[in-house]
Amino acid sequence: MLAAPVADPALPPGWAGEPKWDGWRALVSVEAGRIVLRSRRGTDLAPMFPDIRSGSGQLPDATALDGEIVVWEAGRLAFERLQKRLQRRRAQAARLAAEWPAHFVAFDLLRLAGTDTTRWPYRRRRAALEDLFTEHELAAPWALCPSTTDPATVREWLTWTAVGMEGIVFKRLEGRYEPAVRRWRKYKVLETHDAIVGAITGRLAAPRTLLLGRFDTSGRLQYTGRSTNLSQAAGRALAELLAPATGTHPWAGWTFSAGWGTNETLNATLVRPDLVVEVDVDVARDSAGRWRHPARWHRIRAELHPIQVPKFGEGDEPPADGNLHEQP
């Protein structure tokens, strides 16, 4: 089941809220002692997560859960550790599991001891999921996702961004579990930040996306992320201020990935790194502090000099005025 983005973080009457985890969405089922662990796209994840596979004996037979695989490291959710699990050879899975143990955070129950629960309302599925954890005394690698109907608790969860919590998922209490249907809702916290345009995709006269950077403490421009596709109006406004790179650009010879976890590269054009823009980004970061998801262009900051932009890895706390925006 999927979720549609919403702009309002308030918990609607008749709905429950759950934290939105920065992890890897997965479905797990146990049948006759055999565990199946698959990503939303159908990738077989079991060989890469022996730590989760080893916990299958705790679940009753013919049971299936929907949830998120997460790794907790140094006080925050570490998505990059999950990514490295998938990138490394399967022979290394046991060592990586010992180094970066994963948990399966269960947030919905699809089958219980052979009974299809997808037609049950959420409130009944949730109660059965809680009973499953209690009666079978489920322990690591299994974890139960919190759920609440209290608006104050939802507001508190929205302050958990420092540990990598992305936002809130809302589920209607009387709603069934409908695969591939966007009946759930999701609110993702966005933070406003300044960055320097170091390159673009598309043409200088009509930029399509921006490749953004910040100077590190040694004065070198580091790549921090890229933008979503620009509107025509934004592209025209930016085109008037962009200039092709001259001399030696700090990103000369670099290649830029089209997305997290893909080998596809972008056809980028380097520009003179003297234009500052304001963008909205979510809380997902890699281990170096780069923005893992595309940022939404907000406005041009022509009044700012690039040296005034926070240093790479700095300035990633929410602004003091609480200037947060919904995820597009």
Side-chain angles (χ1 to χ4, degrees):
M1 193 162 177
L2 305 177
V6 295
D8 189 351
L11 178 65
W15 292 66
E18 299 176 355
K20 188 179 188 308
W21 305 84
D22 186 18
W24 199 281
R25 179 80 178 272
L27 297 177
V28 61
S29 67
V30 175
E31 189 76 42
R34 178 175 176 265
I35 185 172
V36 176
L37 183 67
R38 295 194 182 278
S39 73
R40 203 174 79 182
R41 296 184 179 181
T43 302
D44 181 11
L45 300 177
M48 282 75 82
F49 292 95
D51 38 357
I52 293 179
R53 192 172 66 234
S54 65
S56 61
Q58 298 183 44
L59 297 176
D61 195 40
T63 293
L65 304 173
D66 189 359
E68 201 90 7
I69 302 175
V70 301
V71 169
W72 185 265
E73 182 187 44
R76 66 182 300 274
L77 296 170
F79 184 89
E80 62 274 9
R81 299 306 187 193
L82 292 175
Q83 191 67 27
K84 288 181 179 180
R85 290 276 200 107
L86 301 178
Q87 292 172 339
R88 303 289 178 87
R89 293 176 299 178
R90 296 187 179 188
Q92 297 177 301
R95 179 180 63 80
L96 296 176
E99 187 175 357
W100 304 318
H103 288 77
F104 186 95
V105 182
F107 53 62
D108 221 311
L109 180 65
L110 311 187
R111 191 170 47 145
L112 178 61
T115 299
D116 181 359
T117 60
T118 58
R119 298 178 65 84
W120 294 0
Y122 169 78
R123 67 166 75 244
R124 184 181 175 189
R125 298 197 313 275
R126 176 67 196 188
L129 180 61
E130 293 176 0
D131 289 344
L132 174 67
F133 269 77
T134 300
E135 293 174 5
H136 292 268
E137 300 181 345
L138 298 187
W142 312 110
L144 178 62
C145 180
S147 175
T148 188
T149 56
D150 177 26
T153 301
V154 168
R155 290 193 294 270
E156 179 187 350
W157 288 345
L158 288 170
T159 68
W160 291 4
T161 56
V163 299
M165 204 68 70
E166 294 185 321
I168 302 293
V169 175
F170 300 112
K171 300 180 179 180
R172 192 167 60 87
L173 293 174
E174 302 305 324
R176 298 176 176 178
Y177 187 99
E178 302 175 77
V181 177
R182 294 188 182 275
R183 302 282 191 216
W184 294 341
R185 302 173 184 176
K186 62 181 177 182
Y187 174 85
K188 294 185 74 174
V189 175
L190 290 185
E191 305 166 354
T192 299
H193 294 289
D194 295 323
I196 303 160
V197 182
I200 64 164
T201 65
R203 298 179 294 112
L204 277 173
R208 182 176 302 165
T209 65
L210 306 177
L211 277 64
L212 305 168
R214 286 177 167 181
F215 290 109
D216 60 22
T217 54
S218 66
R220 182 171 176 79
L221 186 66
Q222 297 289 348
Y223 176 67
T224 191
R226 71 182 182 99
S227 75
T228 56
N229 289 339
L230 301 168
S231 67
Q232 291 185 351
R236 287 193 297 268
L238 287 161
E240 296 178 2
L241 300 174
L242 294 172
T246 57
T248 302
H249 192 284
W251 293 350
W254 287 24
T255 58
F256 299 91
S257 172
W260 186 271
T262 177
N263 293 324
E264 182 184 354
T265 58
L266 296 172
N267 184 13
T269 298
L270 301 180
V271 299
R272 198 166 61 211
D274 56 9
L275 178 63
V276 178
V277 297
E278 185 178 89
V279 293
D280 295 334
V281 298
D282 64 25
V283 301
R285 304 285 190 273
D286 68 9
S287 57
R290 291 180 290 263
W291 305 327
R292 209 173 69 243
H293 299 150
R296 185 177 64 180
W297 180 81
H298 197 49
R299 61 172 173 155
I300 296 169
R301 297 296 304 273
E303 76 279 11
L304 291 183
H305 189 278
I307 200 67
Q308 295 175 278
V309 174
K311 294 293 188 291
F312 180 76
E314 298 177 352
D316 281 332
E317 295 299 320
D321 62 359
N323 189 13
L324 303 177
H325 304 275
E326 70 275 10
Q327 171 74 9

